[in-house]
Each structure stands twice: as C-alpha cells, then as structure tokens.
Amino acid sequence: MTDHAVMDELKTLVDPGKVLTDPASLEAYGKDWTKHYPPAPSAIVLPKSIEQVQAIVAWANRHRIALVPSGGRTGLSGAAVAAHGEVVVAFDAMNRILDFNPFDRTVVCQPGVITRQLQQFAEEQGLYYPVDFASSGSSQIGGNIGTNAGGIKVIRYGMTRNWVAGLKVVTGKGELLELNRDLIKNATGYDLRQLFIGAEGTLGFVVEATMRLERAPRNLTAMVLGTPDFDSIMPVLHAFQNKLDLTAFEFFSDKGLARILARGDVPAPFDSACPFYALLEFEASTEQVAEQALATFEHCVEQGWVLDGVMSQSETQLRNLWKLREYLSETISHWTPYKNDISVTVSKVPAFLRDIDAVVAEHYPHYEVVWYGHIGDGNLHLNILKPEHLDKDTFFASCARVNKWVFEIVERYNGSISAEHGVGMTKRDYLGYSRSAQEIACMKAIKAVFDPNGIMNPGKIFAPE
Ligand code: 2HG
Ligand code: ZN
C-alpha cells in the first residue's frame, strides 16, 4: 500500500473531515508547551467514539504507524509531542460528560473533557473536583490521567490518581479494557487501572474515565507570608500544619514575584520585600479557624520565620493572592526557561534545596534562576531563564550539562527527577536516576504486554533503543 492509500484508509475510519494534514493543524497538534522539539506529525485524527479509537489503533498496528495521544497539550515534558512523523490522536471531539451519580459522587467523562469543565460541573452539583493547576482551563482529563497530574492542592487531596474510580482504555493491541468498574473496594489482583495512570499513553489510550468528586470546601482563605530566608519556610509549614488542615502550601522566590509584579495586573501582597514567600490556604469554616491562623502567624513572626504577611478577606483577594503563584509558569515562559520538576520527601526539602542551590550557583552563575513550587508536598520547580542574547539550542544544551549534578543530588536524596510533569522526551535520558535498572526492565516488559508492536507513543518515558 502506498503512504497515500494508508492515509486514505485512515479517513474511512472517522467522520468526514476528521483527518487533518494542513500545516497549521500539524504545527498546533504536534506539540505541547515545551519548546525543545519541532513538531512534525504526518496527520492528526480526531475520533468521536471508542469504536473509532479502536479502529485507529487496529489500523496503526496493521501498518506499524506510531500514534501520539493529544489532549490540551499543556504538558511540560514533550510527552504529547509528535516530532517524528507520527499520527496524532486528538481527543477534542470526545469532550462530553456522560453521566453523574450523586450517591457515588462520580462523573463519567470522555477523555477530552477540559479540567475546568469538570470543576464547574462539580460546582453545579454542590461538589468539588479538587485537582487544580494553572492550566486547568485547557488541559484535558485524558491528559491529566496520562500524566497523573498534580498541581496546587496535592497536600490535601493528592494527585489525579486518587480521583480515578474507573477507566476504559484501548490498549496498544486495540483491545477495550474496563478497569476497576468504579468500585471503592476491589481486591481481585493487579489493579491495571493504576498502570494506565501516569503511563503517558505508552500502554494505550484512556477513552473514558469515571472521576470521583468531593464535598465543596468552605470559605477558602489564603495567606501570603514573606520569610527572611529559605530555611524559615519549613518551620512555618510545620507550625501551620500543627494547627490547621491546609489545602495548599506553595512557595516562590523574590525573583518570581518580581516577574509577576512587572506584568502590572496583579497587586503586590504587601510592601515589605522578602527573599521568599509562602502561600498557604485553608478552610476558614468557623471564626475559631481564622483566629487560629492569625495566632499561628503571630507565633511565626515572633520566632523570626515570617517578616510580613496578609490574609485574604474576600473571594477577590483570595484570587489575587493565588495569581502570585499561579501566573508564574506562564509569565516566565517568555524567557524560554529550562525546567526541572524535582521532589523529595518533605523532611528532606531544606537540605536538598541547599545542595541543589549550591550546584546551581556554581554552574549557572550568569543565568537567572527562579524557584517556586509545591513545597508542602516536597515538589520544587527549578526554572532557569534564557538570557535574551543566547539562542535556544545553545542555552538548553548548556543547562542539560548541569543535569548530571542536579540529578545526582536527587538520586542521593532518593528523590524524583520528575515529580508531576512526567518523563516524556525531556527527562527520558535521566530515568535511571529515579528508577533502578530492574524497575525499568519491568516497565518495558509491561509495555510489551499492552503494546507488542510499539506503536503507542514510542520514544516517551524510555529512550528509543
Ligand atoms: C506549576 O506548578 C506548574 O506552576 C508549572 O507545575 C511548573 O512552570 C513550571 O515549572
Ligand atoms: Zn507544579
């Protein structure tokens, strides 16, 4: 069969006009938010049903064509980038909420449902979908599951994994599997659902997901606290955790704040300038909780851990305080940052950060380094900004040379080289710093079971052999 005939066959499997090959679509659907790899897919296909997805996978197996799943394309590791002539399977046309069960508090979603769509649906039912992050307006549930997305509420609610009650997947063989049947208790052997969460589409595609909802939080209230140094942040976390159930505990540096304030559309939290800032959030469900928060704040000031602070008094103030943290990633994207997304257990954070900081100061003396992250769960984002005069490839190559030292520290602390952004292509060469050779061999053997022909997102998680 000629290439042309193979593509004509693909067109018969989906609705008319749902195979795109125009340059603008190839460019748009072939990439995510990373800037490392130029997109080069051969076609984009938009199925609208599970049957169509199965037909596409069967076609890809017949012709040994690599498939790349595509959701909201907000990923930061190149997992949804098609840089080698793959066919992109985009889930935009499978974007409906199919069912809601108020008793089980579950929602059945197609993979292309946008995160915010699910959050809003939950709100309309008086409930809450708690996985949240800056890209929730465009990221899709299928992608969230593929990357086990985390975000800003993990300290209280955990990762996407915690909210997946059941999955329907089409494996690399084209089989449809229904995993866990939405049960809370199901002790019947291996939980295959968990394998597909965080698998970055390398085992198969999520074609339907039953997501759990939670009760809505009451009177969410945020505080932003300025600290004199990094070491003060962890005692502040402990002090507040001893007294309150936190829903978030984030941090960012003065360099991050400066970039946000330079936008001109976000008010400063207070006048004092501090090297680091913590943003914490809790449910001020009663007067006593708010009083406890203020008393803890005063205790932190007396101890010298906090220099200044503010507590939100309204929804608008809450939203404005969150902008200081949530706008960071998008704001600094202007400087084409080189990103690291690393984690250790929370108790190790201070020593870990000191060691990483020393390496960064030694090897990146001329680059601006912006720290922020979900420090309450041990996840730090290290962003190195590209100086205007350097071209992207030279800059990325010079940053990659430093990875060895950064990841050796991660390994020494038993940490992760990718806490929540996945491995994709940007971190695949470093997987061995967080996973043993035996573990990687098991992972590859699992992939071979579900995807014997290696057509599902090849070159992601593992470097091509
Ligand atoms: C965040 O926490 C996102 O804002 C993006 O995970 C992190 O831009 C980053 O490095
Ligand atoms: Zn993050």
Side-chain angles (χ1 to χ4, degrees), residues 186-255:
N186 181 12
T188 53
Y190 309 136
D191 187 349
L192 301 182
R193 160 189 57 161
Q194 300 299 346
L195 283 180
F196 282 79
I197 303 171
E200 302 182 13
T202 60
L203 305 179
F205 296 152
V206 171
V207 289
E208 206 174 283
T210 305
M211 308 304 290
R212 291 190 197 289
L213 302 182
E214 173 63 77
R215 76 157 174 82
R218 300 186 187 103
N219 193 22
L220 283 176
T221 300
M223 276 180 155
V224 169
L225 309 175
T227 70
D229 45 37
F230 179 78
D231 281 348
S232 302
I233 294 181
M234 297 318 263
V236 172
L237 170 65
H238 289 151
F240 276 92
Q241 267 182 327
N242 281 338
K243 300 289 179 193
L244 302 173
D245 288 327
L246 296 177
T247 50
F249 192 91
E250 300 283 311
F251 93 114
F252 46 92
S253 67
D254 53 354
K255 293 200 173 65

Side-chain angles (χ1 to χ4, degrees), residues 114-296:
I114 306 282
T115 314
R116 183 150 307 144
Q117 191 185 339
L118 176 57
Q119 291 168 338
Q120 279 168 357
F121 179 85
E123 260 173 55
E124 286 158 19
Q125 318 307 319
L127 292 167
Y128 187 55
Y129 179 65
V131 180
D132 196 15
F133 29 71
S135 60
S136 60
S138 34
S139 69
Q140 297 180 2
I141 292 302
N144 293 355
I145 293 170
T147 56
N148 187 25
I152 53 180
K153 306 277 173 142
V154 171
I155 189 174
R156 165 76 166 271
Y157 297 104
M159 312 278 285
T160 298
R161 187 183 297 286
N162 294 15
W163 302 93
V164 179
L167 284 183
K168 283 188 189 161
V169 300
V170 171
T171 69
K173 283 186 184 167
E175 294 164 336
L176 176 65
L177 302 182
E178 194 174 335
L179 305 177
N180 197 52
R181 303 171 181 200
D182 308 346
L183 297 165
I184 293 175
K185 300 184 85 169
N186 181 12
T188 53
Y190 309 136
D191 187 349
L192 301 182
R193 160 189 57 161
Q194 300 299 346
L195 283 180
F196 282 79
I197 303 171
E200 302 182 13
T202 60
L203 305 179
F205 296 152
V206 171
V207 289
E208 206 174 283
T210 305
M211 308 304 290
R212 291 190 197 289
L213 302 182
E214 173 63 77
R215 76 157 174 82
R218 300 186 187 103
N219 193 22
L220 283 176
T221 300
M223 276 180 155
V224 169
L225 309 175
T227 70
D229 45 37
F230 179 78
D231 281 348
S232 302
I233 294 181
M234 297 318 263
V236 172
L237 170 65
H238 289 151
F240 276 92
Q241 267 182 327
N242 281 338
K243 300 289 179 193
L244 302 173
D245 288 327
L246 296 177
T247 50
F249 192 91
E250 300 283 311
F251 93 114
F252 46 92
S253 67
D254 53 354
K255 293 200 173 65
L257 181 69
R259 301 285 177 179
I260 292 284
L261 297 183
R263 296 165 54 111
D265 61 348
V266 184
F270 38 73
D271 288 340
S272 336
C274 306
F276 288 97
Y277 299 85
L279 186 161
L280 58 92
E281 188 193 64
F282 54 93
E283 292 177 75
S285 40
T286 63
E287 272 295 304
Q288 287 90 315
V289 177
E291 278 163 21
Q292 187 63 259
L294 285 173
T296 310

Side-chain angles (χ1 to χ4, degrees), residues 76 134 250 325-326 329 339-340 372 374 381 383 420-421:
L76 292 168
E250 300 283 311
R325 169 64 187 85
E326 286 225 87
S329 188
K339 289 180 175 294
N340 271 305
Y372 51 93
H374 320 285
H381 295 309
N383 278 268
E420 62 169 1
H421 294 166

Side-chain angles (χ1 to χ4, degrees), residues 176-461:
L176 176 65
L177 302 182
E178 194 174 335
L179 305 177
N180 197 52
R181 303 171 181 200
D182 308 346
L183 297 165
I184 293 175
K185 300 184 85 169
N186 181 12
T188 53
Y190 309 136
D191 187 349
L192 301 182
R193 160 189 57 161
Q194 300 299 346
L195 283 180
F196 282 79
I197 303 171
E200 302 182 13
T202 60
L203 305 179
F205 296 152
V206 171
V207 289
E208 206 174 283
T210 305
M211 308 304 290
R212 291 190 197 289
L213 302 182
E214 173 63 77
R215 76 157 174 82
R218 300 186 187 103
N219 193 22
L220 283 176
T221 300
M223 276 180 155
V224 169
L225 309 175
T227 70
D229 45 37
F230 179 78
D231 281 348
S232 302
I233 294 181
M234 297 318 263
V236 172
L237 170 65
H238 289 151
F240 276 92
Q241 267 182 327
N242 281 338
K243 300 289 179 193
L244 302 173
D245 288 327
L246 296 177
T247 50
F249 192 91
E250 300 283 311
F251 93 114
F252 46 92
S253 67
D254 53 354
K255 293 200 173 65
L257 181 69
R259 301 285 177 179
I260 292 284
L261 297 183
R263 296 165 54 111
D265 61 348
V266 184
F270 38 73
D271 288 340
S272 336
C274 306
F276 288 97
Y277 299 85
L279 186 161
L280 58 92
E281 188 193 64
F282 54 93
E283 292 177 75
S285 40
T286 63
E287 272 295 304
Q288 287 90 315
V289 177
E291 278 163 21
Q292 187 63 259
L294 285 173
T296 310
F297 164 72
E298 274 156 28
H299 169 71
C300 291
V301 172
E302 278 159 24
Q303 296 295 317
W305 301 328
V306 165
L307 300 174
D308 206 347
V310 60
M311 182 160 103
S312 65
Q313 305 295 330
S314 66
E315 272 280 327
T316 310
Q317 281 178 10
L318 174 73
R319 267 200 303 277
N320 280 337
L321 291 182
W322 267 113
K323 285 177 188 170
L324 298 166
R325 169 64 187 85
E326 286 225 87
Y327 283 6
L328 273 165
S329 188
E330 186 207 317
T331 305
I332 63 168
S333 70
H334 173 76
W335 289 274
T336 320
Y338 188 84
K339 289 180 175 294
N340 271 305
D341 164 41
I342 48 188
S343 68
V344 288
T345 52
V346 180
S347 58
K348 292 180 187 156
V349 164
F352 175 70
L353 194 116
R354 252 194 311 276
D355 284 2
I356 298 273
D357 212 22
V359 162
V360 167
E362 183 185 339
H363 294 280
Y364 298 130
H366 309 302
Y367 296 161
E368 180 164 335
V369 176
V370 181
W371 283 103
Y372 51 93
H374 320 285
I375 198 158
D377 61 39
N379 178 188
L380 309 170
H381 295 309
L382 166 62
N383 278 268
I384 298 135
L385 307 193
K386 186 180 83 58
E388 297 286 348
H389 66 275
L390 269 189
D391 72 275
K392 179 186 72 132
D393 292 338
T394 314
F395 171 66
F396 281 171
S398 77
C399 290
R401 276 197 289 278
V402 181
N403 280 342
K404 178 180 166 7
W405 288 285
V406 171
F407 292 148
E408 275 174 8
I409 298 172
V410 171
E411 188 175 32
R412 188 148 43 80
Y413 279 86
N414 246 330
S416 177
I417 57 141
S418 182
E420 62 169 1
H421 294 166
V423 181
M425 291 196 278
T426 60
K427 298 292 184 272
R428 67 186 180 191
D429 293 338
Y430 310 104
L431 192 59
Y433 286 101
S434 285
R435 296 298 197 103
S436 70
Q438 292 88 336
E439 258 186 298
I440 294 174
C442 290
M443 288 161 75
K444 287 184 175 171
I446 289 169
K447 176 161 170 73
V449 168
F450 290 104
D451 179 28
N453 292 326
I455 56 157
M456 300 309 263
N457 216 4
K460 314 295 165 53
I461 301 184

